[in-house]
Amino acid sequence: MKRFGTNCNTLGLILLCSPAICWAAIFGDGNQSNGIEDQRVSPPARLLNAVGTIYCDGGLRGTGTHIDLGAATNHSQPLSIIVTAAHVLFDLQSGEPFQHCSYRPENKRLKSVPFAEVSSHNYQPLGRDKMRQSETDIVFVSLQRPLYQQRLKLGIFEPPGRLQLLGYNSNKEHISLSQNCRNFLSATFVSEHLLLHNCDASRGSSGGPLLFHSSGGKAIEVVAIHGGTLSSPAKITPPQSIDGALADPEKWINQARKIDLLLLARLQRFIAYLRKGSVD
């Protein structure tokens, strides 16, 4: 798996649990006696057909989305590019990238397509600055052959708005849709690059798309890529108490890397690099 240049920087230590290695949160009403609320359901075919799972070195590592490339989609040499969380491509113990990765549309093993190229990114798997890790936890990947699969457009989130998360559901072993989510602001986790949300998520959902209904609810766009759960060690209770707890943006909250103009420009450079077959 060839990598398209990396540039990693380390900032100061922030006392946060890494979203790449932290538990994933399923939020509820805070009443542990009435069970864990889980808003995940089977997605409609039009959404399921645009996502899949990522397998690296024999294990399911996360979720990916087949994205709409706009005018580049109609090029004489068709490309299929997915977007996912950067951390799913790394062994988080050693910090080394996995050697063999592939994308499985709709999590269908027999349709697996190997990775071709991975875009530039600033993600540092062993970095000590966990907020920085979250902010850089996104990557584009080209596949070795084009997909006959739906594509989803990338867009920029404009709150307020109702969100949905598509991601692998490790409890049910299939891709689920988390509904009726919303975004949050936080004084503890402040970042212009992150979208804090309360969409239910479990292991394997990393890299899944946060969806937003734009243009009066008619268009569905990918506005962020789910990374994991942020938490403050000074404020949290033991991890076992988080599932079913109320989302609290000052203590524990799910996070996703926003799609922004910087990332859209990076995608265009990646497409240009793939077209000319040389390093940017």
Side-chain angles (χ1 to χ4, degrees):
M1 181 172 62
K2 184 177 178 181
R3 299 203 167 269
F4 174 63
T6 60
N7 178 21
C8 300
N9 296 303
T10 304
L11 302 180
L13 176 63
I14 297 178
L15 296 178
L16 302 177
C17 181
S18 168
I21 59 175
C22 194
W23 58 88
I26 296 172
F27 298 109
D29 61 5
N31 183 355
Q32 297 291 327
S33 66
N34 67 5
I36 296 173
E37 286 80 3
D38 190 337
Q39 301 297 319
R40 291 175 295 176
V41 299
S42 296
R46 64 192 175 94
L47 294 181
L48 178 61
N49 190 246
V51 298
T53 48
I54 293 171
Y55 273 74
C56 295
D57 291 0
L60 192 155
R61 308 299 177 180
T63 303
T65 305
H66 189 212
I67 58 175
D68 189 336
L69 305 180
T73 302
N74 301 318
H75 195 274
S76 59
Q77 295 179 321
L79 291 173
S80 278
I81 294 178
I82 63 170
V83 62
T84 188
H87 80 256
V88 306
L89 307 185
F90 290 88
D91 182 316
L92 298 175
Q93 299 301 315
S94 68
E96 294 297 316
F98 293 118
Q99 295 301 304
H100 303 286
C101 291
S102 61
Y103 172 73
R104 296 182 176 181
E106 300 183 46
N107 194 35
K108 293 181 178 180
R109 178 176 60 85
L110 297 180
K111 293 187 176 181
S112 181
V113 183
F115 284 14
E117 305 266 2
V118 178
S119 74
S120 63
H121 61 84
N122 297 318
Y123 184 76
Q124 188 174 15
L126 299 182
R128 298 178 65 191
D129 184 336
K130 303 309 177 183
M131 184 67 84
R132 174 68 172 171
Q133 277 191 324
S134 300
E135 292 174 335
T136 58
D137 194 13
I138 190 167
V139 71
F140 300 104
V141 180
S142 67
L143 303 177
Q144 288 189 12
R145 63 177 182 271
L147 298 175
Y148 297 98
Q149 188 188 25
Q150 295 274 4
R151 302 171 187 258
L152 289 175
K153 292 184 177 181
L154 301 182
I156 296 176
F157 180 57
E158 296 181 2
R162 182 164 293 180
L163 298 166
Q164 296 177 310
L165 171 64
L166 269 173
Y168 182 76
N169 183 336
S170 57
N171 303 108
K172 300 293 185 179
E173 298 185 345
H174 61 60
I175 295 171
S176 292
L177 179 69
S178 182
Q179 305 182 104
N180 303 318
C181 320
R182 69 180 184 89
N183 65 297
F184 289 78
L185 296 177
S186 172
T188 302
F189 309 117
V190 179
S191 172
E192 62 178 319
H193 301 296
L194 297 181
L195 193 161
L196 307 181
H197 66 90
N198 65 342
C199 297
D200 291 331
S202 59
R203 190 175 299 276
S205 61
S206 292
L210 259 74
L211 307 177
F212 175 65
H213 291 259
S214 63
S215 303
K218 296 180 180 179
I220 298 177
E221 296 181 336
V222 177
V223 294
I225 297 301
H226 176 67
T229 305
L230 291 171
S231 64
S232 172
K235 299 176 181 179
I236 67 170
T237 51
Q240 292 87 341
S241 69
I242 289 186
D243 277 359
L246 283 169
D248 186 334
E250 307 305 332
K251 294 182 180 179
W252 49 74
I253 195 70
N254 285 337
Q255 59 83 14
R257 176 52 164 94
K258 291 180 183 178
I259 302 299
D260 55 24
L261 294 177
L262 177 66
L263 286 174
L264 294 177
R266 183 186 299 175
L267 173 60
Q268 292 305 311
R269 290 195 299 272
F270 185 46
I271 293 171
Y273 157 76
L274 295 171
R275 292 293 189 211
K276 67 183 182 182
S278 59
V279 178
D280 187 0

